[in-house]
Amino acid sequence: MKRLVLLAPLALFVAIGLAFAVGLTRDPSRIPSTLIDRPLPEFDLPPIQGFDKGLASADLKGEVALINVFGSWCVSCLLEHPVLLALSKENAVPIYGVNWKDEPGAGAAWLARHGNPYQRIGDDSAGRVVIDLGVTGAPETFVIDREGRVRYKQVGPITREVWEKKLRPMIEELRG
Amino acid sequence: MLCRNREKSHPEERRRRVAKDGPLAAVLALFLLMSPAFAVEPDEMLADPALEARAEALEKELRCVVCQSESLAESNAPLAKDMRRILREQIKAGASDEKAVAFLVDRYGDYVLLRPRFEGKTLLLWTFPLLAVVLGGLGAAFYLRAQRGGTAPAPLDEAEEARLKKILNERA
């Protein structure tokens, strides 16, 4: 009995250590999205300077699509840009852009320089819509299903691997 | 010895010590007055001081989702500034403290609260320190009780006493 009592603190320590070890494998900066399986919040963004089509939540109904939050100031966005361009060329999935916190003209200049993968682009220079979407940084991409519900949020750039392993299967499944 | 004492209390020596340690002491004292800098800028603040006070109180309890160890009040991140603005808009529009906070929690989840809510899933988080103290106390109580119950070694008989004295004398 005495043995057991003496071992208890060690056992407790090991248990806590294991819990922390598991916890350390998780990335606390990746906040899970509260929007999953909920309808896309309503928004209606004007076009960015140089374009004539803005982006509204109503534009998306009826098809599986991606909403990509980007900015000309965002370095990681440049990393995923070739992948988005390729996807738009292949017509793999419609991609809609939300230009976050850019000065007038900056977004258009960036797209002119690097290419434009977006069907429509909304101007969120005020940063209000991205807060409704629960965005914490760029790039972030939302997968929207046919009914207009958010099904997945990709935090960080979409690499080829992310596309092949996560997004493409998901989109194919959502398409039925 | 007398000379040393005299040297220490010599006014010249004392002045030298204050000159050396004085600034250090002053800086250390200033540290005590330090408080975290708040990032709210004048153009963000609400005109009504009561509403502004409510906003500032709430900001201290909300987490900046970008610089995640800072509160919304302290963070300089542009997103934090936007979140502060939205919080103030909610308050100005007449939302209660709860509703204004719920607006952000709805979009970012419980993580945006610096102080976790006291509910089922956070029960262990809140009670664990108390549990740890109680368990530790119980463990200590058991251990001490076992110690006191221990028997003292048996007293020596005459032959052993004589041997002991002999050994001690040899050693001395």
Side-chain angles (χ1 to χ4, degrees), chain A residues 41-55:
Chain A
E42 271 181 45
F43 61 87
D44 190 355
L45 291 173
I48 60 173
Q49 197 183 80
F51 287 74
D52 54 359
K53 279 197 282 185
L55 180 65

Side-chain angles (χ1 to χ4, degrees), chain A residues 1-2 5-6 12 16 28-35 38 100-101 125-128 130-137, chain B residues 65-66 68 78-79 82-83 85-86 89 103-112 128 132 135 138-139 142-143 146-147:
Chain A
M1 181 58 201
K2 200 170 164 187
V5 173
L6 285 179
L12 192 62
I16 295 178
S29 65
R30 299 277 166 103
I31 308 178
S33 175
T34 58
L35 293 181
R38 280 165 59 184
W100 184 22
K101 278 264 175 227
S125 49
R128 190 176 304 272
V130 296
I131 291 186
D132 281 338
L133 293 173
V135 167
T136 61
Chain B
V65 293
V66 179
Q68 290 165 348
L79 186 58
D82 289 339
M83 284 172 80
R85 185 158 43 92
I86 286 190
E89 271 172 21
F103 188 87
L104 288 174
V105 171
D106 195 43
R107 285 149 179 77
Y108 287 100
D110 288 339
Y111 189 68
V112 83
F128 191 73
L135 284 175
L138 281 175
F142 268 117
Y143 181 69
Q147 283 250 311

Side-chain angles (χ1 to χ4, degrees), chain A:
Chain A
M1 181 58 201
K2 200 170 164 187
R3 264 282 184 80
L4 274 174
V5 173
L6 285 179
L7 279 178
L10 182 63
L12 192 62
F13 177 75
V14 170
I16 295 178
L18 279 173
F20 284 165
V22 169
L24 279 174
T25 62
R26 298 201 199 163
D27 184 356
S29 65
R30 299 277 166 103
I31 308 178
S33 175
T34 58
L35 293 181
I36 304 293
D37 292 337
R38 280 165 59 184
L40 184 63
E42 271 181 45
F43 61 87
D44 190 355
L45 291 173
I48 60 173
Q49 197 183 80
F51 287 74
D52 54 359
K53 279 197 282 185
L55 180 65
S57 49
D59 291 331
L60 276 93
K61 290 236 171 69
E63 54 178 357
V64 178
L66 296 179
I67 296 185
N68 175 255
V69 176
F70 74 99
S72 65
W73 41 268
C74 162
V75 180
S76 307
C77 300
L78 218 41
L79 275 175
E80 68 172 3
H81 210 68
V83 177
L84 294 182
L85 282 170
L87 292 178
S88 105
K89 271 209 188 88
E90 297 162 19
N91 261 324
V93 64
I95 310 177
Y96 298 94
V98 173
N99 190 193
W100 184 22
K101 278 264 175 227
D102 252 331
E103 300 286 313
W110 190 78
L111 290 171
R113 210 164 121 206
H114 300 290
N116 180 10
Y118 305 112
Q119 309 280 325
R120 301 174 81 105
I121 308 166
D123 184 359
D124 194 11
S125 49
R128 190 176 304 272
V129 170
V130 296
I131 291 186
D132 281 338
L133 293 173
V135 167
T136 61
E140 283 187 13
T141 308
F142 296 86
V143 178
I144 316 294
D145 70 9
R146 278 216 185 90
E147 287 83 39
R149 274 179 306 171
V150 176
R151 296 303 278 258
Y152 181 70
K153 175 166 102 162
Q154 167 67 21
V155 175
I158 298 177
T159 61
R160 260 292 155 191
E161 200 184 337
V162 167
W163 170 253
E164 292 297 331
K165 289 223 171 97
K166 245 211 141 57
L167 296 181
R168 189 158 68 96
M170 190 184 299
I171 290 172
E172 277 171 14
E173 200 193 319
L174 289 172
R175 285 193 170 140

Side-chain angles (χ1 to χ4, degrees), chain B residues 39-101:
Chain B
V40 181
E41 283 167 33
D43 60 348
E44 289 176 38
M45 298 196 213
L46 295 172
D48 181 343
L51 294 179
E52 176 63 25
R54 271 176 63 202
E56 285 183 12
L58 288 176
E59 281 173 354
K60 291 189 199 153
E61 300 278 313
L62 290 169
R63 189 193 303 269
C64 169
V65 293
V66 179
C67 320
Q68 290 165 348
S69 54
E70 288 189 323
S71 72
L72 216 54
E74 297 166 330
S75 173
N76 279 313
L79 186 58
K81 192 165 175 176
D82 289 339
M83 284 172 80
R84 284 198 295 266
R85 185 158 43 92
I86 286 190
L87 188 72
R88 280 177 171 72
E89 271 172 21
Q90 289 283 304
I91 291 181
K92 197 165 169 197
S96 64
D97 284 1
E98 241 178 58
K99 196 154 161 268
V101 169

